[in-house]
Amino acid sequence: MTEASDLIANDILFDWLLRRGDTALVLGHRVSEWCGHAPALEEDIALANVALDLIGQARLWLSYAGEVEGKGRGENELAFLRDAWDFRNLLLAEQPNGDFGQTLMRQFLIEAYDLPLLRALERSADERIAAIAAKAGKETAYHLDRSSDLVIRLGDGTSESHARMQSALDTLWPFSGEMFCGDGVDDAMSDAGLAPKPESLKPAWTETVEAVLAEATLTRPQSDFAHSGGLSGRHTEHLGHLLAQMQFLQRAYPGATW
Amino acid sequence: MTEASDLIANDILFDWLLRRGDTALVLGHRVSEWCGHAPALEEDIALANVALDLIGQARLWLSYAGEVEGKGRGENELAFLRDAWDFRNLLLAEQPNGDFGQTLMRQFLIEAYDLPLLRALERSADERIAAIAAKAGKETAYHLDRSSDLVIRLGDGTSESHARMQSALDTLWPFSGEMFCGDGVDDAMSDAGLAPKPESLKPAWTETVEAVLAEATLTRPQSDFAHSGGLSGRHTEHLGHLLAQMQFLQRAYPGATW
Amino acid sequence: MSEEERAFQERIDRGDKIEPNDWMPDGYRKTLIRQIGQHAHSEIVGQLPEGNWITRAPTLERKAILLAKVQDEAGHGLYLYCAAETLGVSRDELIELLHAGKMKYSSIFNYPTLNWADIGAIGWLVDGAAIMNQVPLQRTSFGPYARAMVRICKEESFHQRQGFDIMMKMARGTQDLRRMAQDALDRYWYPSLMMFGPSDKESVHSAQSMAWKIKINTNDELRQKFVDQTAPQADYLGLKIPDEKLRWNEEKGGYDFSEPDWNEFFEVLKGNGPCNRERLGARIRAWDDGAWVREGLMAHAEKQAIRPAAE
Amino acid sequence: MSEEERAFQERIDRGDKIEPNDWMPDGYRKTLIRQIGQHAHSEIVGQLPEGNWITRAPTLERKAILLAKVQDEAGHGLYLYCAAETLGVSRDELIELLHAGKMKYSSIFNYPTLNWADIGAIGWLVDGAAIMNQVPLQRTSFGPYARAMVRICKEESFHQRQGFDIMMKMARGTQDLRRMAQDALDRYWYPSLMMFGPSDKESVHSAQSMAWKIKINTNDELRQKFVDQTAPQADYLGLKIPDEKLRWNEEKGGYDFSEPDWNEFFEVLKGNGPCNRERLGARIRAWDDGAWVREGLMAHAEKQAIRPAAE
């Protein structure tokens, strides 16, 4: 049985696992903020389901990260006792929910990336990564089907729904480029056969996004300017506020068993 | 020199001081959330000024409370290291800002109570209380002038501004009765000549409120139903979220000197 | 009583299930619509107090469990609206009545969730009381309602166990956590007792509803059963039910206990609960803010309907 | 150059102050409106990054100091809009231009405040750079602007000292706090250098502005002065300026240092800074949400104006 730790330095693998886990955690948190406030009962159920899957994925990635780190931190220590600068999630994941259109567009843009990423990770030289990816991939395929469908229906709906979806796309587009900015961590993971280079996922993402936007009668923004920083801990101002809520109990009652 | 501690049990005085300090703190926090987002530059300045005065008052009351408690807690320990159930502020103070009209109405209803309260406290048998009240009273007189004036102008402005002010009044009115619900703490403070009974402040408050509402062409709600619980630590759901933000740094970095 | 009514009552007395296309008295239909609709609304509004802690759940596992629970509740709402729809009223109509204040939801959801133990207390006490109400309704005379109840009860007992598990962790935890657990019990005890409604002696509708098997037990019977079940659980947790009069009565084979403050109950019903304005306001805001989404989906469906299939 | 223009330039050369009712060239007026307006906008937008930490300030004293500071900034905005108004443009017109993206504010406020030390760094570095720009403007040729600057500079130096005090507390605090301080310096150093603008060699407006004494020093002079002042302060704090090339140059009597990334500067100007969309969005939202308030106050004033005084 191959183990990643034979192939790569632990701190690099740890960092890479945090990127996965933190993105799922922060995105799941955002989606969970909708609970009870969605535009229709079916959406309340669907959003809760997405949040639940993402929190589940976060637990798998973060538990593994904690083991790799080897300092005794588990999923909860990593989720609740790090400040924003130690989070490694994509900036896109932490963007506020905005209206339902903005939440939906954020999910679509990330899911269209996550799916090819997870598919590739199923072939990781590390069995643990491959197993997590296989489980998460099934969930994400379902989420992406759903978000694609809704983006199409709301993009090609009323003039108001079209305008809102276009505005959501324009707002979030500059945060999409970060998904494809590989760095040394990604290179090392790729060299070790553990993960694909982020750049390699761009064609699949672009294909999905362009097909859906076309059917949704939405216009892909011209600029390819991309915000970045999330993967190295430079976040937007939103993350700190999110964590202040998320971490309150663990911070206020250290050492308690819940 | 008379000292309260000769006249009353420390735990009662402590509780009473927390009511003053927590109300000022939580209300000041709410007002400070407006920073940079007010409807006009003059309002940004005025709201910052109100917040500043309230935080200043909170510091005086809470410092005194800490001394009375005698367990080494100062203003910061009391502000940042207690959870919601140990806060003793009025529920009205923790209500969300809503639109500018709701913030303004909240301030007016509390200031119309605080002014006669502080005037009475200037005659407290405890010199420290009297001194704090004298300082806070001057500030509050100014704030009340301002909020009364604005309530009148917006109540008797456009039909939209009238409707918004009326809605603010209707929303907040059920939280105003708590100000006049005295309990054993208040009785003991009153018996010791340290503070007035809350009930005794109702005529002055009613007079101010009715005069301003009349000029503002606003209708006083019929129901006298009153929410309560703040003074004994049963708050609304809002306070926990407010504290999660406010206390984050002190909780996340215990023992640091800022 | 007309011929039809007599035949209808005989079917019920025999234990037959009434199905949507069967003849039924207007009063039966109306009562059921009110009861099922109110139950559906309660599931939906009930998402809000628990939702208040999803973003602050203390561990990822607790967060996942709570999310799953709230998702179940939305699902229950869905079954129940479907059951109501078989009686000829649409979900949107019911929702409009809710938003207009013309239909109620369970008053318990007008109480705030103030610490994490409230999530435990809601599972333990509120879901516990709900189950007590609902288990007999699995045998209710209206088929779709009875079948929805079977499914709902199964999930609710699961939620109740999870709630009890939270309470247990907290009641056996640090001093702060024990204090939270006791605080939650103190606040949720009487509102839970109120969930069974005032004594049936004061209710005019009860007799008819019981004849129709829409209501199976009296409010007081269920309340007693709830107290008898819950009091030993509180003991087991080492928590104190906030009732000085609570004690085992050997003679009646049940606990004696204090009545909740029915004035408070009627105040909350009138709109003066701690959170009425907020709960209904949140639902109305969600509905209004979501109007463009529902309209967009409808417009798209209409476009699709008129497009040639080949496209 | 016309007779009037020559006389105007002579007054400036003599050191006279130009007052609002004096004759002035159109270009002088326009340049001043742009410069003062942009400065006013910067004070207003500048409330936002600091406002982001008011609710999370770590002690009550720090919260009060920060509130007072942000209040001062709104006050500065007010003086500056008043100074601009003397040139014949209203505050509302200027605000509309800002919201339409036709006037700028200082790009530094498009950077986020990510930890509490950023509040220190803004005081120390951003206010420090602002003062460096503004102190000479106390001698600018336009009277109302020069006078506004005197008042503003006094308050700004106070803010700078407070910012330095925060940095000092953190740089000498726990390991986490030291890390915050260094992180803030790392992120704010180059954006602060950018505050002086690109080298004047590339600026067409600079020569004319200097002749008119609207601009007193070149951008490069001020940037050098800023680095020379700040580098020893960083040493004193035990923090490391993120510039490998930074070193004292005995010969020129100043520090050598790396240029900031001017591509980033132009990207931020174009709207691609980390927070452009949010900052401007927040201001527009505040303005739009406040429309009813401004309209209400106006309507009331009109009613008062037509009411008999006796009322």
Side-chain angles (χ1 to χ4, degrees):
Chain A
M1 201 169 119
T2 313
E3 287 208 355
S5 50
D6 303 331
L7 302 167
I8 201 162
N10 271 354
D11 58 334
I12 291 177
L13 179 58
F14 175 66
D15 216 40
W16 184 90
L17 289 167
L18 286 185
R19 293 176 186 189
R20 302 282 83 70
D22 289 345
T23 295
L25 174 60
V26 168
L27 188 62
H29 181 99
R30 279 286 185 231
V31 177
S32 79
E33 292 173 354
W34 271 100
C35 179
H37 304 278
L41 196 42
E42 286 79 359
E43 296 312 316
D44 260 325
I45 295 172
L47 287 168
N49 186 49
V50 172
L52 193 52
D53 286 344
L54 286 167
I55 297 298
Q57 294 170 20
R59 296 180 64 191
L60 295 170
W61 292 122
L62 292 180
S63 297
Y64 191 17
E67 291 170 36
V68 167
E69 189 195 30
K71 292 183 181 168
R73 294 200 285 184
E75 57 179 57
N76 289 320
E77 285 77 11
L78 289 172
F80 295 103
L81 298 175
R82 284 178 300 150
D83 201 349
W85 52 12
D86 290 326
F87 269 71
R88 294 290 178 263
N89 59 283
L90 292 168
L91 299 180
L92 185 51
E94 74 201 39
Q95 295 311 299
N97 284 335
D99 66 6
F100 181 77
Q102 193 165 320
T103 292
L104 176 63
M105 187 59 78
R106 184 189 61 206
Q107 299 309 112
F108 169 67
L109 293 173
I110 294 191
E111 287 156 10
Y113 167 83
D114 269 352
L115 187 62
L117 169 62
L118 293 165
R119 293 289 189 236
L121 291 177
E122 287 182 41
R123 301 185 302 272
S124 173
D126 180 64
E127 293 183 12
R128 179 90 168 262
I129 291 176
I132 298 174
K135 179 181 182 302
K138 279 194 205 83
E139 295 164 351
T140 304
Y142 175 74
H143 301 161
L144 177 59
D145 271 355
R146 211 174 171 285
S147 63
S148 302
D149 179 57
L150 275 172
V151 166
I152 289 167
R153 287 156 72 196
L154 290 173
D156 184 22
T158 59
S159 62
E160 182 180 3
S161 74
H162 177 87
R164 282 178 182 262
M165 295 310 294
Q166 184 67 51
S167 157
L169 180 62
D170 295 345
T171 301
L172 297 174
W173 190 256
F175 293 100
S176 63
E178 188 187 20
M179 299 191 283
F180 309 104
C181 293
D183 63 5
V185 169
D186 293 301
D187 291 343
M189 289 291 289
S190 169
D191 291 347
L194 292 167
K197 291 202 184 197
E199 300 84 333
S200 71
L201 304 169
K202 185 132 193 194
W205 182 81
T206 305
E207 196 182 331
T208 308
V209 167
E210 289 192 340
V212 168
L213 293 186
E215 205 177 337
T217 72
L218 295 171
T219 308
R220 177 184 158 152
Q222 287 304 305
S223 167
D224 270 336
F225 168 77
H227 291 295
S228 64
L231 302 181
S232 57
R234 282 197 187 185
H235 291 275
T236 62
E237 289 173 356
H238 304 294
L239 186 61
H241 295 277
L242 183 155
L243 296 181
Q245 294 294 329
M246 186 171 99
Q247 301 180 334
F248 179 77
L249 285 179
Q250 287 271 356
R251 301 277 193 191
Y253 301 97
T257 305
W258 305 89
Chain B
M1 204 168 120
T2 313
E3 287 207 355
S5 48
D6 303 332
L7 302 168
I8 201 162
N10 270 355
D11 58 334
I12 292 178
L13 179 58
F14 176 65
D15 216 41
W16 184 90
L17 288 167
L18 286 184
R19 295 176 184 187
R20 301 283 83 70
D22 290 345
T23 296
L25 175 61
V26 168
L27 188 62
H29 182 99
R30 279 288 185 232
V31 177
S32 80
E33 292 173 354
W34 272 99
C35 180
H37 304 277
L41 196 42
E42 286 79 0
E43 296 311 317
D44 261 325
I45 296 173
L47 288 167
N49 185 49
V50 172
L52 193 52
D53 286 344
L54 287 167
I55 298 298
Q57 294 169 20
R59 296 179 64 191
L60 296 171
W61 293 121
L62 292 179
S63 297
Y64 190 18
E67 290 170 38
V68 167
E69 188 194 30
K71 293 182 181 168
R73 295 201 284 184
E75 57 180 58
N76 289 319
E77 286 77 11
L78 289 173
F80 296 105
L81 299 174
R82 281 178 301 151
D83 200 348
W85 52 12
D86 290 326
F87 270 70
R88 294 289 177 264
N89 59 282
L90 292 168
L91 299 178
L92 184 52
E94 72 201 40
Q95 296 311 300
N97 285 335
D99 66 5
F100 182 76
Q102 195 165 321
T103 293
L104 176 63
M105 188 58 78
R106 184 187 61 205
Q107 299 309 111
F108 168 66
L109 293 173
I110 294 191
E111 287 155 10
Y113 168 82
D114 270 351
L115 188 62
L117 170 62
L118 293 165
R119 293 292 190 232
L121 292 176
E122 286 182 42
R123 298 186 303 270
S124 171
D126 180 63
E127 293 183 10
R128 181 90 167 263
I129 291 176
I132 298 174
K135 182 181 180 302
K138 279 194 203 82
E139 296 165 351
T140 303
Y142 175 73
H143 300 160
L144 176 60
D145 270 355
R146 216 178 163 283
S147 63
S148 303
D149 180 56
L150 276 170
V151 166
I152 290 168
R153 287 156 70 194
L154 290 173
D156 184 22
T158 60
S159 62
E160 180 180 5
S161 72
H162 177 85
R164 284 179 182 260
M165 295 310 294
Q166 184 67 51
S167 155
L169 179 62
D170 294 345
T171 302
L172 297 174
W173 189 258
F175 294 100
S176 63
E178 187 186 17
M179 299 190 284
F180 308 103
C181 295
D183 63 3
V185 170
D186 293 302
D187 290 344
M189 288 292 288
S190 169
D191 292 347
L194 291 167
K197 292 202 185 198
E199 300 84 336
S200 71
L201 305 168
K202 188 136 190 193
W205 183 81
T206 305
E207 194 182 336
T208 307
V209 167
E210 291 194 338
V212 168
L213 293 185
E215 206 177 338
T217 71
L218 296 171
T219 308
R220 178 185 156 153
Q222 285 305 306
S223 165
D224 269 336
F225 169 77
H227 291 296
S228 64
L231 301 181
S232 58
R234 284 197 187 184
H235 291 273
T236 63
E237 289 174 356
H238 304 293
L239 185 62
H241 295 277
L242 181 156
L243 295 182
Q245 294 295 329
M246 187 173 97
Q247 300 181 334
F248 179 76
L249 286 179
Q250 287 272 357
R251 301 278 194 192
Y253 301 98
T257 305
W258 304 90
Chain C
M1 204 184 268
S2 73
E3 186 60 34
E4 274 172 321
E5 283 169 337
R6 204 164 8 242
F8 178 81
Q9 188 61 51
E10 278 166 13
R11 290 188 61 197
I12 287 183
D13 294 342
R14 267 201 310 274
D16 277 11
K17 288 283 177 254
I18 309 299
E19 294 301 330
N21 294 326
D22 297 349
W23 183 89
M24 61 187 78
D26 264 6
Y28 180 84
R29 186 186 301 273
K30 276 189 196 149
T31 307
L32 268 174
I33 288 177
R34 198 186 59 221
Q35 185 170 330
I36 301 176
Q38 193 163 314
H39 189 167
H41 297 329
S42 301
E43 297 284 355
I44 303 315
V45 177
Q47 295 179 89
L48 298 173
E50 290 176 312
N52 184 42
W53 283 90
I54 286 182
T55 55
R56 289 177 293 172
T59 70
L60 295 182
E61 188 184 5
R62 291 286 177 205
K63 192 192 287 275
I65 291 172
L66 183 55
L67 266 167
K69 182 184 176 193
V70 176
Q71 190 187 11
D72 284 347
E73 283 158 6
H76 297 174
L78 210 52
Y79 313 153
L80 288 163
Y81 284 124
C82 290
E85 281 181 332
T86 67
L87 291 162
V89 60
S90 76
R91 195 207 305 182
D92 285 8
E93 286 174 90
L94 290 171
I95 288 177
E96 268 172 40
L97 289 168
L98 170 70
H99 293 177
K102 291 177 185 161
M103 279 187 87
K104 298 283 178 199
Y105 53 88
S106 176
S107 276
I108 190 78
F109 301 120
N110 289 317
Y111 288 86
T113 51
L114 298 180
N115 78 54
W116 172 253
D118 288 9
I119 301 305
I122 286 179
W124 174 38
L125 302 175
V126 176
D127 292 339
I131 293 168
M132 208 61 89
N133 271 325
Q134 290 163 8
V135 162
L137 291 177
Q138 296 177 99
R139 298 178 284 116
T140 191
S141 61
F142 185 58
Y145 191 25
R147 291 189 289 274
M149 276 305 149
V150 172
R151 190 158 166 195
I152 289 174
C153 281
K154 202 178 298 170
E155 293 182 3
E156 291 285 12
S157 9
F158 191 60
H159 296 162
Q160 203 208 359
R161 276 203 300 280
Q162 290 170 338
F164 191 76
D165 183 59
I166 290 178
M167 291 308 279
M168 199 149 67
K169 273 280 192 319
M170 298 191 77
R172 295 178 180 182
T174 62
Q175 193 184 335
D176 286 325
L177 269 59
R178 285 202 305 280
R179 185 182 159 202
M180 284 184 202
Q182 183 62 53
D183 179 53
L185 174 56
D186 289 346
R187 283 180 290 104
Y188 273 96
W189 175 253
Y190 286 109
S192 299
L193 294 190
M194 292 180 200
M195 285 177 70
F196 301 96
S199 181
D200 297 279
K201 287 164 255 169
E202 292 154 42
S203 171
V204 281
H205 297 300
S206 290
Q208 178 61 77
S209 287
M210 290 180 84
W212 279 336
K213 292 192 189 161
I214 294 176
K215 192 179 167 87
I216 313 284
N217 304 84
T218 70
N219 296 346
D220 290 326
E221 278 166 23
L222 293 168
R223 186 166 19 245
Q224 179 70 52
K225 210 170 158 194
F226 174 76
V227 174
D228 292 345
Q229 171 184 297
T230 310
Q233 293 172 342
D235 276 347
Y236 179 78
L237 291 172
L239 298 177
K240 194 183 163 336
I241 288 175
D243 179 358
E244 290 304 327
K245 293 199 190 139
L246 186 87
R247 65 175 49 81
W248 178 254
N249 180 333
E250 193 61 51
E251 211 169 317
K252 81 172 182 189
Y255 284 85
D256 291 333
F257 58 94
S258 304
E259 286 286 302
D261 175 357
W262 292 110
N263 286 333
E264 179 180 317
F265 177 78
F266 289 111
E267 279 291 333
V268 176
L269 265 192
K270 259 170 54 188
N272 287 331
C275 303
N276 296 55
R277 194 179 263 266
E278 239 135 0
R279 298 291 187 241
L280 196 57
R283 289 306 309 162
I284 292 173
R285 213 173 318 114
W287 189 249
D288 292 347
D289 288 353
W292 72 269
V293 176
R294 298 189 304 275
E295 288 159 13
L297 297 178
M298 217 136 50
H300 182 80
E302 281 162 21
K303 286 184 197 177
Q304 290 303 97
I306 58 170
R307 274 175 194 156
E311 205 196 21
Chain D
M1 202 183 268
S2 73
E3 186 60 32
E4 273 170 322
E5 283 171 334
R6 203 164 8 244
F8 178 80
Q9 189 62 50
E10 278 167 13
R11 290 187 61 195
I12 287 182
D13 293 344
R14 265 202 312 274
D16 277 11
K17 290 283 179 256
I18 309 299
E19 295 301 329
N21 293 326
D22 297 349
W23 183 91
M24 61 186 79
D26 264 7
Y28 179 84
R29 184 185 302 272
K30 277 188 194 148
T31 308
L32 268 176
I33 287 176
R34 197 186 60 221
Q35 187 171 328
I36 301 176
Q38 192 164 314
H39 189 167
H41 296 330
S42 301
E43 298 283 356
I44 303 315
V45 177
Q47 295 179 91
L48 299 172
E50 291 177 311
N52 185 42
W53 283 90
I54 286 182
T55 55
R56 290 178 292 172
T59 68
L60 295 182
E61 187 183 7
R62 291 288 178 206
K63 192 191 286 275
I65 292 172
L66 182 55
L67 266 167
K69 183 184 175 192
V70 176
Q71 189 188 13
D72 284 347
E73 283 158 6
H76 298 173
L78 209 54
Y79 312 155
L80 287 161
Y81 284 124
C82 289
E85 282 182 330
T86 67
L87 291 161
V89 60
S90 76
R91 195 207 304 182
D92 285 8
E93 286 173 89
L94 291 170
I95 287 177
E96 270 173 39
L97 289 167
L98 169 70
H99 293 176
K102 290 178 186 160
M103 279 186 87
K104 299 282 179 196
Y105 53 88
S106 178
S107 276
I108 191 78
F109 301 120
N110 289 317
Y111 289 87
T113 49
L114 299 180
N115 79 54
W116 172 252
D118 288 10
I119 300 304
I122 286 179
W124 174 37
L125 301 174
V126 175
D127 292 339
I131 293 168
M132 209 60 91
N133 271 325
Q134 289 164 9
V135 162
L137 290 177
Q138 297 179 97
R139 296 177 285 114
T140 191
S141 61
F142 185 59
Y145 191 26
R147 289 188 290 274
M149 277 303 151
V150 172
R151 190 160 165 193
I152 289 173
C153 281
K154 201 178 298 171
E155 293 182 0
E156 292 284 14
S157 5
F158 190 60
H159 297 163
Q160 202 207 0
R161 275 202 302 279
Q162 290 169 337
F164 191 77
D165 182 60
I166 290 178
M167 292 307 279
M168 198 148 69
K169 272 282 191 318
M170 299 192 74
R172 297 180 178 177
T174 62
Q175 194 182 334
D176 286 324
L177 269 59
R178 285 202 302 282
R179 185 180 159 206
M180 286 184 200
Q182 183 62 51
D183 180 54
L185 174 58
D186 289 348
R187 283 179 290 103
Y188 273 94
W189 174 252
Y190 286 109
S192 299
L193 294 189
M194 292 179 198
M195 285 178 70
F196 301 97
S199 181
D200 297 277
K201 286 164 255 169
E202 293 154 41
S203 169
V204 279
H205 296 302
S206 290
Q208 179 62 77
S209 287
M210 291 181 83
W212 278 337
K213 292 191 189 161
I214 293 176
K215 192 180 167 90
I216 313 283
N217 305 86
T218 71
N219 296 346
D220 290 327
E221 279 166 21
L222 292 169
R223 186 164 20 247
Q224 181 69 52
K225 210 169 155 195
F226 175 75
V227 174
D228 292 346
Q229 171 185 295
T230 310
Q233 293 172 341
D235 276 348
Y236 178 79
L237 292 171
L239 298 175
K240 196 183 161 336
I241 288 174
D243 179 358
E244 290 304 328
K245 292 199 189 139
L246 186 85
R247 63 175 51 82
W248 178 254
N249 181 331
E250 193 61 49
E251 214 168 316
K252 80 172 183 188
Y255 284 84
D256 292 334
F257 59 93
S258 302
E259 286 285 302
D261 175 357
W262 291 109
N263 286 333
E264 179 181 317
F265 177 79
F266 290 111
E267 279 290 335
V268 176
L269 264 192
K270 259 171 51 187
N272 288 331
C275 303
N276 296 54
R277 194 179 263 266
E278 238 135 1
R279 298 289 187 242
L280 197 56
R283 289 305 309 162
I284 292 173
R285 213 173 319 115
W287 189 248
D288 291 348
D289 288 352
W292 71 271
V293 177
R294 299 189 302 276
E295 287 159 13
L297 296 179
M298 218 136 47
H300 182 80
E302 282 162 20
K303 287 183 196 179
Q304 290 303 98
I306 57 168
R307 274 176 193 157
E311 202 193 24

